[in-house]
DNA sequence: GCCAACGTTGGC
DNA sequence: GCCAACGTTGGC
């Protein structure tokens, strides 16, 4: 069986990692993604059991804040069907849903946010999607990159 | 708040 | 299907 790794962006002012850890069952539906490439990844590639970095964007110190695990896939994004939601999409419906997403569960917060600036400094991470396609809000992390970050950055903090 | 990068829309 | 105009993301 193959294991996939991902990076999910969220603005901590709206929903930070601590929101996830204090949510019921430490879980949340990853709603509000309205970019087709990101949607396609969520719909077609992300599997239950995959791990993901929870990344804080558009904030004072952008970076990786925690780790989460995928608990459900193939969910219709509820916000897309809710006329009250800022993410409402009138072109989406229950019968023909346009925005498919996942549920994730908090695994652990990192002892510190690993700043984007720091990731940039590692030669081994120069090919990370995060450092090259900065606007994609759901993106793959390679096994090599994941292992490097775990071993060289996260473990080094302990 | 600025602005570069880049995604989306819509006229043709 | 092209591409100009426009909107959004996100680091700084």
């Amino acid at each position: 069986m193959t294991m996939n790794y991902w990076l999910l962006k969220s603005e901590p002012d709206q929903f930070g990692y601590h929101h996830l850890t204090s949510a019921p069952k430490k879980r949340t539906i990853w709603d509000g993604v309205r970019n087709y490439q990101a949607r396609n990844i969520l719909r077609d590639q992300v599997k239950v059991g995959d791990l993901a970095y929870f990344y804080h964007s558009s904030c004072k110190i952008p970076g990786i804040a925690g780790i989460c695990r995928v608990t459900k896939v193939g969910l219709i994004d509820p916000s897309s069907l809710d006329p009250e939601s800022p993410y409402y999409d009138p072109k989406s419906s229950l019968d023909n849903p346009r925005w498919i997403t996942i549920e994730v569960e908090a695994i652990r917060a990192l002892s510190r946010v690993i700043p984007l600036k720091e990731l940039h400094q590692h030669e081994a991470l120069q090919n990370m999607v995060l450092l090259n396609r900065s606007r994609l809000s759901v993106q793959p992390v390679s096994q090599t990159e994941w292992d490097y970050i775990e071993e060289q950055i996260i473990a080094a903090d302990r």
Side-chain angles (χ1 to χ4, degrees):
Chain A
M1 84 146 213
T2 58
M3 174 65 137
N4 297 313
Y5 301 95
W6 309 99
L7 182 144
L8 303 172
K9 290 184 193 170
S10 187
E11 299 186 19
D13 291 347
Q14 278 189 218
F15 193 88
Y17 193 79
H18 73 280
H19 290 102
L20 183 60
T21 53
S22 59
K25 297 172 75 179
K26 300 187 178 183
R27 294 184 181 193
T28 192
I29 291 182
W30 204 260
D31 63 356
V33 171
R34 292 296 177 271
N35 168 284
Y36 287 103
Q37 198 177 349
R39 188 280 312 268
N40 292 348
I41 292 172
L42 291 173
R43 186 188 60 188
D44 304 334
Q45 295 185 244
V46 179
K47 305 301 176 197
V48 170
D50 286 352
L51 294 177
Y53 288 134
F54 190 116
Y55 179 87
H56 286 174
S57 67
S58 294
C59 56
K60 199 159 187 179
I61 303 178
I64 298 169
I67 296 173
C68 48
R69 177 161 52 208
V70 178
T71 47
K72 289 183 187 171
V73 298
L75 308 174
I76 298 172
D77 182 335
S79 67
S80 67
L81 303 180
D82 174 8
E84 302 297 307
S85 167
Y87 300 115
Y88 177 59
D89 180 355
K91 291 175 181 164
S92 187
S93 67
L94 256 188
D95 288 344
N96 191 15
R98 178 174 294 202
W99 303 106
I100 303 298
T101 190
I102 63 174
E103 181 194 72
V104 299
E105 150 184 77
I107 297 297
R108 66 189 163 94
L110 302 189
S111 58
R112 65 185 176 102
V113 172
I114 300 169
L116 174 64
K117 194 187 282 185
E118 184 175 328
L119 298 174
H120 271 291
Q121 293 165 354
H122 290 266
E123 191 59 38
L125 300 178
Q126 291 312 300
N127 290 326
M128 274 192 87
V129 176
L130 184 68
L131 307 190
N132 295 285
R133 303 270 326 280
S134 63
R135 295 186 49 192
L136 190 59
S137 67
V138 175
Q139 52 179 259
V141 176
S142 76
Q143 174 90 57
T144 307
E145 290 157 356
W146 185 277
D147 290 346
Y148 181 89
I149 292 169
E150 290 293 317
E151 292 161 17
Q152 303 301 318
I153 302 179
I154 296 174
D157 283 342
R158 290 199 264 269

